[in-house]
Amino acid sequence: MVKIEIDFEKCIGCGACVNACPVSLYEIVDEKSKVTGNVDDCVLCRACETTCPVGAITITE
Ligand code: SF4
Ligand code: SF4
């Protein structure tokens, strides 16, 4: 099971994760990243994790 954690203290709302995710799991809500898609759709590419400039996203299996 995939778990996506976003550190809201670190997130600067840049939207890089929104653009990076191939299955569109993220949206910017109130200037912070939020998972609004179905986590089960995650293909574990880790693009979000590697693209986030402040290391706010952690993907665990
Ligand atoms: S690991 Fe890939 S598919 Fe999963 S949330 Fe991140 S960018 Fe999207
Ligand atoms: S890439 Fe990182 S800092 Fe930018 S919106 Fe996503 S979680 Fe926030």
Side-chain angles (χ1 to χ4, degrees):
M1 203 180 91
V2 180
K3 192 172 162 206
I4 302 172
E5 286 176 277
I6 304 168
D7 186 331
F8 293 103
E9 298 292 325
K10 286 185 184 171
C11 178
I12 54 170
C14 68
C17 54
V18 177
N19 296 324
C21 181
V23 293
S24 305
L25 287 192
Y26 297 97
E27 261 184 76
I28 301 298
V29 179
D30 293 335
E31 299 180 353
K32 299 282 179 178
S33 177
K34 190 174 180 190
V35 175
T36 54
N38 184 348
V39 179
D40 292 336
D41 290 344
C42 175
V43 294
L44 287 170
C45 66
R46 298 188 183 272
C48 52
E49 234 177 10
T50 54
T51 306
C52 179
V54 294
I57 298 175
T58 310
I59 304 283
T60 45
E61 291 178 61

